Coordinates of all heavy atoms in Angstrom, one line a residue:
P27 N -9.3 -35.6 8.3 CA -9.5 -34.4 9.0 C -9.8 -34.6 10.5 O -10.4 -35.6 10.8 CB -10.6 -33.7 8.3 CG -11.2 -34.7 7.3 CD -10.3 -35.8 7.3
Q28 N -9.3 -33.8 11.3 CA -9.5 -33.9 12.7 C -10.8 -33.1 13.1 O -11.0 -31.9 12.8 CB -8.4 -33.2 13.6 CG -7.2 -34.1 13.6 CD -6.1 -33.5 14.5 OE1 -5.8 -32.3 14.4 NE2 -5.6 -34.3 15.3
F29 N -11.7 -33.8 13.8 CA -12.9 -33.1 14.2 C -12.6 -32.4 15.5 O -11.9 -32.9 16.3 CB -14.1 -34.2 14.4 CG -14.4 -34.8 13.1 CD1 -14.0 -36.0 12.8 CD2 -15.3 -34.2 12.2 CE1 -14.4 -36.7 11.5 CE2 -15.6 -34.7 11.0 CZ -15.2 -35.9 10.7
G30 N -13.3 -31.3 15.7 CA -13.1 -30.5 16.9 C -11.9 -29.7 16.9 O -11.6 -29.0 17.9
L31 N -11.2 -29.6 15.9 CA -10.0 -28.8 15.8 C -10.3 -27.3 15.9 O -9.6 -26.6 16.7 CB -9.2 -29.1 14.5 CG -7.9 -28.4 14.3 CD1 -6.9 -28.8 15.4 CD2 -7.2 -28.6 13.0
F32 N -11.3 -26.9 15.3 CA -11.7 -25.5 15.4 C -12.0 -25.1 16.8 O -11.7 -23.9 17.1 CB -12.9 -25.3 14.4 CG -13.2 -23.8 14.2 CD1 -12.4 -23.1 13.3 CD2 -14.2 -23.1 14.9 CE1 -12.7 -21.8 13.1 CE2 -14.5 -21.8 14.6 CZ -13.6 -21.1 13.7
S33 N -12.6 -26.0 17.6 CA -12.9 -25.6 19.0 C -11.6 -25.4 19.8 O -11.7 -24.8 20.9 CB -13.8 -26.7 19.5 OG -13.1 -27.9 19.7
K34 N -10.5 -25.9 19.4 CA -9.2 -25.6 20.1 C -8.7 -24.2 19.9 O -7.8 -23.8 20.7 CB -8.2 -26.7 19.7 CG -8.6 -28.1 20.1 CD -7.5 -29.0 19.6 CE -7.9 -30.4 20.0 NZ -6.9 -31.4 19.6
Y35 N -9.2 -23.6 18.9 CA -8.7 -22.2 18.6 C -9.3 -21.3 19.7 O -10.4 -21.5 20.3 CB -9.1 -21.7 17.3 CG -8.6 -22.5 16.1 CD1 -9.2 -22.5 14.9 CD2 -7.6 -23.4 16.2 CE1 -8.7 -23.2 13.8 CE2 -7.1 -24.1 15.2 CZ -7.6 -24.0 14.0 OH -7.1 -24.7 12.9
R36 N -8.6 -20.2 20.0 CA -9.0 -19.2 21.0 C -9.9 -18.1 20.4 O -9.6 -17.6 19.4 CB -7.7 -18.6 21.6 CG -7.9 -17.7 22.8 CD -6.7 -17.4 23.5 NE -5.6 -16.9 22.7 CZ -5.3 -15.5 22.4 NH1 -6.1 -14.7 23.0 NH2 -4.3 -15.2 21.7
T37 N -11.0 -17.8 21.1 CA -11.8 -16.7 20.7 C -11.2 -15.4 21.2 O -10.9 -15.3 22.4 CB -13.3 -16.9 21.4 OG1 -13.7 -18.2 20.9 CG2 -14.2 -15.8 20.9
P38 N -11.0 -14.5 20.3 CA -10.5 -13.2 20.8 C -11.5 -12.5 21.7 O -12.6 -12.6 21.6 CB -10.3 -12.4 19.5 CG -11.2 -13.1 18.5 CD -11.3 -14.5 18.9
N39 N -10.9 -11.7 22.6 CA -11.7 -11.0 23.7 C -11.9 -9.6 23.1 O -11.3 -8.7 23.6 CB -11.0 -11.0 25.0 CG -11.8 -10.3 26.1 OD1 -13.0 -10.0 25.8 ND2 -11.2 -10.2 27.2
C40 N -12.9 -9.5 22.2 CA -13.1 -8.2 21.5 C -13.8 -7.2 22.4 O -13.7 -6.0 22.1 CB -13.9 -8.4 20.3 SG -13.0 -9.4 19.0
R41 N -14.4 -7.6 23.5 CA -15.1 -6.6 24.4 C -14.1 -5.7 25.0 O -14.4 -4.6 25.4 CB -15.9 -7.4 25.4 CG -17.2 -8.0 24.8 CD -17.9 -8.7 25.9 NE -17.2 -9.9 26.2 CZ -17.3 -10.6 27.3 NH1 -18.0 -10.2 28.3 NH2 -16.6 -11.8 27.5
R42 N -12.8 -6.1 25.1 CA -11.8 -5.2 25.8 C -11.3 -4.1 24.9 O -10.5 -3.3 25.4 CB -10.7 -6.1 26.4 CG -9.8 -6.8 25.3 CD -8.9 -7.8 26.0 NE -7.7 -7.2 26.3 CZ -6.6 -7.8 26.5 NH1 -6.5 -9.1 26.4 NH2 -5.5 -7.2 26.8
Y43 N -11.6 -4.2 23.6 CA -11.1 -3.1 22.7 C -12.1 -2.2 22.3 O -13.3 -2.5 22.1 CB -10.5 -3.9 21.5 CG -9.4 -4.8 21.8 CD1 -9.6 -6.2 21.7 CD2 -8.2 -4.4 22.3 CE1 -8.6 -7.1 22.0 CE2 -7.2 -5.3 22.6 CZ -7.4 -6.7 22.4 OH -6.5 -7.6 22.8
S44 N -11.7 -0.9 22.2 CA -12.5 0.2 21.8 C -12.9 0.0 20.3 O -12.1 -0.4 19.5 CB -11.8 1.5 22.0 OG -12.5 2.5 21.3
I45 N -14.1 0.4 20.0 CA -14.5 0.4 18.6 C -13.9 1.5 17.8 O -14.0 1.6 16.5 CB -16.1 0.3 18.4 CG1 -16.7 1.6 19.0 CG2 -16.7 -0.8 19.0 CD1 -18.1 1.8 18.6
H46 N -13.2 2.4 18.4 CA -12.6 3.6 17.8 C -11.3 3.4 17.2 O -10.8 4.2 16.4 CB -12.6 4.8 18.7 CG -14.0 5.1 19.3 ND1 -15.0 5.6 18.4 CD2 -14.5 5.0 20.5 CE1 -16.0 5.8 19.2 NE2 -15.8 5.4 20.4
G47 N -10.6 2.3 17.5 CA -9.3 2.0 16.9 C -8.4 1.3 17.8 O -8.8 1.0 18.9
C48 N -7.3 0.8 17.2 CA -6.4 0.0 17.9 C -5.1 0.7 18.2 O -4.7 1.6 17.4 CB -6.1 -1.3 17.1 SG -7.6 -2.4 16.8
N49 N -4.3 0.2 19.2 CA -3.0 0.7 19.3 C -2.1 0.1 18.3 O -2.4 -0.8 17.6 CB -2.4 0.5 20.8 CG -2.3 -1.0 21.1 OD1 -1.8 -1.8 20.3 ND2 -2.7 -1.3 22.3
R50 N -0.9 0.6 18.2 CA 0.1 0.1 17.2 C 1.0 -0.9 17.7 O 2.0 -1.2 17.0 CB 0.8 1.4 16.6 CG 0.0 2.3 15.9 CD 0.8 3.5 15.3 NE 0.0 4.3 14.5 CZ 0.0 4.3 13.2 NH1 0.7 3.4 12.5 NH2 -0.8 5.2 12.5
M51 N 0.7 -1.4 18.9 CA 1.6 -2.5 19.4 C 1.7 -3.7 18.5 O 0.6 -4.2 18.0 CB 1.1 -2.9 20.8 CG 2.0 -3.9 21.4 SD 1.5 -4.4 23.1 CE 0.0 -5.5 22.7
Y52 N 2.8 -4.2 18.1 CA 3.0 -5.3 17.3 C 3.0 -6.6 18.1 O 4.1 -6.8 18.8 CB 4.1 -5.2 16.3 CG 4.3 -6.3 15.3 CD1 3.3 -6.4 14.3 CD2 5.3 -7.2 15.4 CE1 3.3 -7.4 13.3 CE2 5.3 -8.2 14.4 CZ 4.4 -8.3 13.4 OH 4.4 -9.3 12.4
A53 N 2.0 -7.4 18.1 CA 1.9 -8.6 18.9 C 1.1 -9.6 18.0 O -0.1 -9.7 18.3 CB 1.3 -8.4 20.2
P54 N 1.7 -10.0 16.9 CA 0.9 -10.7 15.8 C 0.1 -11.9 16.3 O 0.6 -12.6 17.2 CB 1.9 -11.1 14.7 CG 3.2 -11.1 15.5 CD 3.1 -10.1 16.6
V55 N -1.0 -12.2 15.7 CA -1.8 -13.4 16.0 C -2.2 -13.9 14.6 O -2.4 -13.2 13.6 CB -3.0 -13.1 16.8 CG1 -2.7 -12.7 18.3 CG2 -3.9 -12.1 16.3
C56 N -2.3 -15.2 14.5 CA -2.7 -15.9 13.3 C -4.2 -16.2 13.4 O -4.6 -16.9 14.4 CB -1.9 -17.2 13.1 SG -2.4 -18.1 11.6
G57 N -5.0 -15.7 12.5 CA -6.5 -16.0 12.6 C -6.8 -17.2 11.8 O -6.0 -17.7 11.0
S58 N -8.0 -17.7 12.1 CA -8.5 -19.0 11.5 C -8.7 -18.8 10.0 O -9.0 -19.7 9.3 CB -9.7 -19.5 12.2 OG -10.7 -18.6 12.2
D59 N -8.7 -17.5 9.5 CA -8.8 -17.3 8.1 C -7.4 -17.3 7.4 O -7.3 -17.0 6.3 CB -9.5 -15.9 7.8 CG -8.7 -14.7 8.4 OD1 -7.8 -15.0 9.2 OD2 -9.1 -13.6 8.1
M60 N -6.4 -17.7 8.2 CA -5.0 -17.8 7.8 C -4.4 -16.5 7.4 O -3.4 -16.4 6.7 CB -4.9 -18.8 6.6 CG -5.3 -20.3 6.9 SD -4.6 -20.9 8.5 CE -2.9 -20.9 8.2
S61 N -4.9 -15.5 8.0 CA -4.3 -14.1 7.9 C -3.6 -13.8 9.2 O -4.1 -14.1 10.3 CB -5.4 -13.0 7.6 OG -5.9 -13.3 6.3
T62 N -2.5 -13.1 9.0 CA -1.8 -12.6 10.2 C -2.3 -11.2 10.6 O -2.3 -10.3 9.6 CB -0.2 -12.5 10.0 OG1 0.2 -13.9 9.7 CG2 0.5 -12.0 11.2
Y63 N -2.7 -10.9 11.8 CA -3.1 -9.6 12.2 C -2.1 -9.0 13.2 O -1.4 -9.8 14.0 CB -4.4 -9.7 13.0 CG -5.5 -10.2 12.0 CD1 -5.8 -11.6 11.8 CD2 -6.3 -9.3 11.3 CE1 -6.7 -12.0 10.9 CE2 -7.2 -9.8 10.3 CZ -7.4 -11.1 10.2 OH -8.4 -11.5 9.3
A64 N -1.9 -7.7 13.1 CA -0.8 -7.1 13.9 C -1.0 -7.3 15.4 O 0.0 -7.4 16.2 CB -0.8 -5.6 13.6
N65 N -2.2 -7.4 15.8 CA -2.5 -7.7 17.3 C -4.0 -8.2 17.3 O -4.7 -8.1 16.4 CB -2.2 -6.5 18.2 CG -2.9 -5.3 17.7 OD1 -4.1 -5.3 17.4 ND2 -2.2 -4.1 17.7
E66 N -4.4 -8.6 18.5 CA -5.7 -9.1 18.7 C -6.8 -8.0 18.4 O -7.8 -8.3 17.9 CB -5.9 -9.6 20.2 CG -7.2 -10.3 20.4 CD -7.2 -11.0 21.8 OE1 -6.2 -11.4 22.3 OE2 -8.3 -11.0 22.3
C67 N -6.5 -6.8 18.7 CA -7.5 -5.7 18.4 C -7.8 -5.6 16.9 O -8.8 -5.4 16.6 CB -6.9 -4.4 19.0 SG -8.0 -3.0 18.7
T68 N -6.7 -5.6 16.0 CA -6.9 -5.5 14.6 C -7.7 -6.7 14.2 O -8.5 -6.5 13.2 CB -5.6 -5.4 13.9 OG1 -4.8 -6.5 14.1 CG2 -4.9 -4.1 14.2
L69 N -7.5 -7.9 14.8 CA -8.4 -9.0 14.4 C -9.8 -8.7 14.8 O -10.8 -9.0 13.9 CB -7.9 -10.3 15.1 CG -8.8 -11.5 15.0 CD1 -9.1 -11.9 13.6 CD2 -8.2 -12.6 15.8
C70 N -10.1 -8.1 16.0 CA -11.4 -7.8 16.3 C -12.0 -6.8 15.4 O -13.3 -6.9 15.1 CB -11.4 -7.3 17.8 SG -11.1 -8.5 19.0
M71 N -11.2 -5.8 14.9 CA -11.8 -4.9 14.0 C -12.3 -5.5 12.7 O -13.3 -5.2 12.2 CB -10.8 -3.8 13.7 CG -10.4 -2.9 14.7 SD -11.8 -1.9 15.2 CE -11.7 -2.0 17.0
K72 N -11.5 -6.5 12.2 CA -11.9 -7.2 11.0 C -13.2 -8.0 11.3 O -14.1 -8.1 10.4 CB -10.8 -8.3 10.6 CG -11.0 -9.2 9.5 CD -11.1 -8.4 8.2 CE -11.2 -9.3 7.1 NZ -11.1 -8.7 5.8
I73 N -13.3 -8.6 12.5 CA -14.6 -9.4 12.8 C -15.8 -8.4 12.8 O -16.8 -8.7 12.3 CB -14.4 -10.0 14.2 CG1 -13.4 -11.2 14.1 CG2 -15.8 -10.5 14.7 CD1 -13.0 -11.7 15.5
R74 N -15.5 -7.2 13.4 CA -16.7 -6.3 13.5 C -17.1 -5.7 12.2 O -18.2 -5.5 11.9 CB -16.2 -5.0 14.4 CG -16.2 -5.4 15.9 CD -15.9 -4.2 16.7 NE -15.9 -4.5 18.2 CZ -14.9 -4.2 19.0 NH1 -13.8 -3.5 18.5 NH2 -15.0 -4.5 20.2
E75 N -16.1 -5.4 11.3 CA -16.5 -4.8 10.0 C -17.1 -5.8 9.1 O -17.9 -5.5 8.2 CB -15.3 -4.1 9.4 CG -14.2 -5.0 8.8 CD -13.0 -4.3 8.4 OE1 -12.7 -3.1 8.8 OE2 -12.3 -4.8 7.5
G76 N -16.7 -7.1 9.2 CA -17.2 -8.1 8.2 C -18.1 -9.1 8.8 O -18.7 -9.9 8.1
G77 N -18.3 -9.1 10.1 CA -19.2 -10.1 10.7 C -18.7 -11.5 10.6 O -19.5 -12.5 10.7
H78 N -17.4 -11.7 10.5 CA -16.8 -12.9 10.4 C -16.5 -13.5 11.8 O -16.4 -12.8 12.8 CB -15.4 -12.8 9.7 CG -15.5 -12.3 8.4 ND1 -16.0 -12.9 7.3 CD2 -15.1 -11.0 7.9 CE1 -16.0 -12.1 6.3 NE2 -15.4 -10.9 6.6
N79 N -16.6 -14.8 11.9 CA -16.3 -15.5 13.1 C -14.9 -16.1 13.0 O -14.6 -17.2 12.8 CB -17.3 -16.7 13.4 CG -17.1 -17.4 14.7 OD1 -16.5 -16.9 15.6 ND2 -17.6 -18.6 14.8
I80 N -13.9 -15.2 13.2 CA -12.5 -15.6 13.1 C -11.9 -15.9 14.5 O -12.1 -15.1 15.4 CB -11.7 -14.5 12.4 CG1 -12.3 -14.1 11.1 CG2 -10.2 -14.8 12.3 CD1 -11.7 -12.9 10.5
K81 N -11.3 -17.0 14.7 CA -10.7 -17.4 16.0 C -9.1 -17.2 15.8 O -8.6 -17.0 14.7 CB -10.9 -18.9 16.2 CG -12.4 -19.3 16.2 CD -13.1 -18.8 17.4 CE -14.5 -19.3 17.5 NZ -15.3 -18.7 18.5
I82 N -8.5 -17.3 16.9 CA -7.0 -17.2 17.0 C -6.4 -18.6 17.0 O -6.7 -19.3 17.9 CB -6.5 -16.4 18.2 CG1 -7.0 -14.9 18.1 CG2 -5.0 -16.4 18.3 CD1 -6.8 -14.1 19.4
I83 N -5.7 -18.9 15.9 CA -5.0 -20.2 15.9 C -3.9 -20.2 16.8 O -3.6 -21.2 17.5 CB -4.6 -20.5 14.4 CG1 -5.8 -20.7 13.5 CG2 -3.7 -21.7 14.4 CD1 -5.4 -20.9 12.0
K84 N -3.0 -19.2 16.7 CA -1.9 -19.1 17.6 C -1.4 -17.7 17.7 O -1.7 -16.8 16.9 CB -0.7 -20.0 17.0 CG -0.2 -19.5 15.7 CD 0.9 -20.3 15.2 CE 1.5 -19.6 13.9 NZ 2.9 -20.1 13.7
N85 N -0.5 -17.5 18.7 CA 0.1 -16.2 18.9 C 1.3 -16.2 17.9 O 2.0 -17.2 17.8 CB 0.6 -15.9 20.3 CG -0.5 -15.7 21.2 OD1 -1.6 -15.2 20.9 ND2 -0.3 -16.1 22.4
G86 N 1.5 -15.1 17.2 CA 2.6 -15.1 16.2 C 2.0 -15.1 14.8 O 0.8 -15.4 14.6
P87 N 2.9 -14.8 13.8 CA 2.3 -14.8 12.4 C 2.0 -16.2 11.8 O 2.5 -17.2 12.3 CB 3.5 -14.2 11.6 CG 4.7 -14.3 12.5 CD 4.2 -14.4 13.9
C88 N 1.1 -16.2 10.9 CA 0.7 -17.4 10.3 C 1.9 -17.9 9.5 O 2.7 -17.1 8.9 CB -0.5 -17.2 9.3 SG -2.0 -16.7 10.2
G89 N 2.1 -19.2 9.4 CA 3.2 -19.7 8.5 C 4.5 -19.9 9.2 O 5.4 -20.5 8.7
A90 N 4.7 -19.1 10.4 CA 5.9 -19.2 11.1 C 5.8 -20.3 12.1 O 4.8 -20.6 12.7 CB 6.2 -17.9 11.8
S91 N 6.9 -21.1 12.2 CA 6.9 -22.2 13.2 C 7.2 -21.7 14.6 O 8.0 -20.9 14.9 CB 7.9 -23.3 12.8 OG 7.5 -23.7 11.5

C-alpha cells in the first residue's frame, strides 16, 4: 500500500455551496468512498448529512479511465 495516497485527494470546497440544495449541472466527481456524485455540491451534501470525510479522487465518474 502507498502511504500518503489519501492526502493526494482533493478536499471539496463545500463552503461555496448553499445548504439549501444543489444545481442540476452534471459534472461528476469520484469520491474517496468510491461513489460517483453528480457534482461537487452533491458530494458536499453527502458530507453534511452523514458527517463523512469524503475527498475527491478525480473529476469524472468512478471506474472510468
Side-chain angles (χ1 to χ4, degrees):
Q28 286 185 310
F29 294 100
L31 184 62
F32 193 76
S33 66
K34 293 180 182 177
Y35 298 164
R36 184 165 56 92
T37 300
N39 184 5
C40 295
R41 286 179 287 158
R42 66 189 272 200
Y43 300 109
S44 166
I45 60 170
H46 301 294
C48 298
N49 65 40
R50 294 180 175 259
M51 184 178 75
Y52 186 68
V55 293
C56 180
S58 57
D59 61 349
M60 298 313 295
S61 293
T62 299
Y63 296 89
N65 54 44
E66 188 173 327
C67 181
T68 58
L69 170 58
C70 289
M71 291 295 132
K72 177 71 171 184
I73 292 169
R74 285 185 182 129
E75 72 186 25
H78 304 289
N79 183 20
I80 304 170
K81 305 289 187 191
I82 297 173
I83 293 176
K84 64 176 187 160
N85 291 330
C88 298
S91 299

